Amino acid sequence: MQQNSTTILVPVIPDKIQGLIDQLVEIKRNSQEGISKEFDSLSIIHYARWVVIDHGKSWINDEKKRNPKLLFVIDYDGEEGEMLHKVSENSSTILDLVYVFCEGYPPLNTVNTDSRKSFLENHVIKDAAVYIGAPGRSVLQIRKERKLRDFIRKFVDSRTWEDVSPDTVHKKIKEQVLANPDFSYLKEERVSMPQINYFGVVLLGICLLALLPFIIILVLIVHFFYERKDENFTKKRSQLDNDFLTELEVYEDFKNQNQFTQLVDMKEGNVRLLAIKFMFLLSNFLIKFIFTQGKLMGIPTIHFAKWVMFEKNSRVLFFSNFDGSWQQYLGDFIDNSGWGLTGIFSNTKVFPKTNFLITGGAYKEEYFLAWSRNSELVTNFWYTAYPDLSIKNVNNNTKIRVQLMKTLSERQAAKFLKLL
Amino acid sequence: MTMLELENIQGYLIRGYAHMLYSRFVYLQISDAKAAKKWLSKSWKEMTSARHIHDKSKIAPTHLNIAFTHDGLAALGLDEENLAAFSREFRQGMVSPHRTRLLGDFDSSSPEKWNWGAPQNESIHLCLMVFGNDKSASDDLGKDKIVCLDYYNKLASEFEANGLKEIFFIDGQTQPDNKEHFGFRDGVSQPIIEGSGRVGDKDDVIKAGEFLFGYKNEFGVYPDTPLIVKEQGDLNLLTPDAGGSGQKDIGKDGTFMVMRQLDQDVNKFWGYLNEKTKNPDGSINVSESLKLGAKFMGRWQSGAPITLFPDSDPGPYSDVNDFGYAKFDKDGLKCPFGSHLRRTNPRDNVDDHGKKESLKLSKQHRIIRRARLYGEIYEGSPTNTTPNGEVGLLFICFNADISRQFEFLQYTWANLPKNKELYNDPDPIIGVKENPDPGEEQNFTVQDEPVSRTIKDLPRVITVKGGAYFFFPSINVLRYLSTI
């Protein structure tokens, strides 16, 4: 089943903003350590979050008066319409509690599934690029495969295997699993791990080569006519606002997973727009062809991440759901994909100084870390369906399942056993 | 490569003073800032620097170093704006709700139960580190103790006159073979600061900016050093910010020091290992227990890496440190992925990155460790499990970025159970929760053939009793602090 992501942006009734924030605080207070369990019963939502934007701080001291809005971001299985229907039907209580503070929400005495759904649908905004760490895996599949792995592990630990050949161990595990009615689905539902699309990679390479002269011209234009005039971010982490950081930290690092929401503004001009659009296009191809196996540019800790451009391409949002701490996450980004991040974010205002679009920037570690924290937003509500699993676990569980059902040679069986 | 100004760097950062078997860590308050500054204006000369002394006979029998907490710098009179220029971790200190979560300080280790360093304890302003070595003796703890305490007594007799009030102290000891209470040789692998003049394996040579302000770090940028925002004191004593801001740098040649008092439950540690490896008749299987202990740690008790010596301890002690995991043990069959040392310094094998990339990542998370033992000198083993009274380790480490180094190691690599491809495996020495969440497993996976084995229900074997973050200034900066 395919995973999708939807972003919904709704204006908040200006004089009700405090009510909304209080409501979200209340929901969080009732959650388990900042992770709400509200969507568990739907079994199709991987991650969800509500974020209030344009209320309070503008990190670049933008003078422009903006009205507060509410972002709703959902990563889910299947089609958007079906998901919105289910959310509107089964999670109506929380939707009403939240959206009663927003403009245009149907009055509570008349609101129903259909009107909730069409309200949400009317406010959907387009994603620029979406990354999925375990493409094809539904929430149900992830839960099933977790159970399968736990079962196998328990069986393996129930006896010693000294001097038993790997293929015999594999066979014994398979017998044990298939004898259990809980796993009878394995015989019917065959799955496979997503592969790297080498044909696509080659094609993309050819296209990039063909475009190279234009890319070089674009980079040179950016460098000589834009980067030199850029206002750069030169704060260090020690100079950031204390209270804001405390607010961010309140709901971080409870479980193995964390969230990250970021909002920045585009630099003016069509060249910058062209540059960022090109980077998103490139990202989308790379995600589709290469980053299909649980790593985004070598970063092995991201479940779902995406970029969104809105308000006539003048602003950029970034969302991520990842394993481990913020410090590790950002560090990984610098090491593995500093150029990619720089290529995207150098087109947004007040970024650490870049050269030729993709150098400098994220590689200026201290400024980049401070920039990232400074442009981060408080995520007012966060849902994760499987906080106990890392993305490596999720993918490994699928590999276990796939290999379990195959007939394996001794060498293959030995490899399979390493996954357990 | 920039050579370091060793005579401006306090010595304990560069050298472990391993030959000084006895030390006293004295925690003090500044009761009279004026008197304390006057004392500092003379005593900065007395602080042991990192200057290399070729002729061992010329090394002084006593060493002295000093570090300040954020409260301490405030008490001394550093301006509020300058105090705010320090990193957030140092400003907040080791106790805050978020930090407690990162460090895993819960249950018996929760700050409410600490003996020092928590809000309910008396505020600590500075730590004097006093070391002694009887030069007429060799490796004699008792004689070193006399030298150390004589020196301490001399210093302490003037505390009051110097505006200092002693709160408490912890006496730190070192065994000649550097074994800690679980019985393992400690501190074998240490980073070598580039430009410090020390030599060693190139994979251990780390950019100075990882451990010292004013130099570039492993990312090629200058660490977040505290800069003077509001002019005070004799600014001529400070050098300008290497980062080019034009401000004066109070961090230059200094760093942050992390201190944590960790009680070690020797009985629980070896009791658990004995239980998991016992013979069918219930008796202790010493060699299997030692082996599992070595798998937990990553080295045998002698210090020999299990990666190179997978079957048994070559003993009696070993400094072997030139090895990589990718090269010798990619599958963890010798040193398990979850072992304490493999996860806190994964060398050339971070996740499934290549060797070069892994080394780069490892180098961004190194710390310089300076642990000292407290309590009875006791060498734990499968048959030696019950020391008299509390024993433990005064864990000390140096790093320029507490968040990216010490806290990252404790949280991301030790506490989180998801290292490598693991599922439920916290660091068996320092990452286990005393009370796991309902349904949460805490295991240790031993990679093996044909299939790995799970060692279940790990116990927490350490208890945090106190701790604090300190600023470990350069000698010039000590002098500067006397002028504010």
Side-chain angles (χ1 to χ4, degrees), chain A residues 54 91 242 248 264 311 386 416 420:
Chain A
D54 294 338
S91 302
N242 250 331
L248 289 176
V264 289
E311 290 183 3
Y386 33 87
F416 162 77
L420 300 180

Side-chain angles (χ1 to χ4, degrees), chain A residues 327-338:
Chain A
Q327 179 70 57
Q328 177 190 17
Y329 180 62
L330 268 294
D332 277 357
F333 254 122
I334 300 172
D335 286 314
N336 295 302
S337 56

Side-chain angles (χ1 to χ4, degrees), chain B residues 66-111:
Chain B
I66 186 171
F68 295 85
T69 62
H70 198 249
D71 284 352
L73 294 174
L76 204 59
L78 195 64
D79 188 89
E80 222 169 279
E81 288 183 53
N82 296 329
L83 285 166
F86 283 83
S87 81
R88 178 173 164 82
E89 297 77 43
F90 173 65
R91 273 184 277 138
Q92 276 194 334
M94 201 176 273
V95 182
S96 80
H98 180 238
R99 184 141 297 115
T100 294
R101 225 154 44 228
L102 284 178
L103 302 180
D105 295 339
F106 296 111
D107 306 315
S108 309
S109 292
S110 86

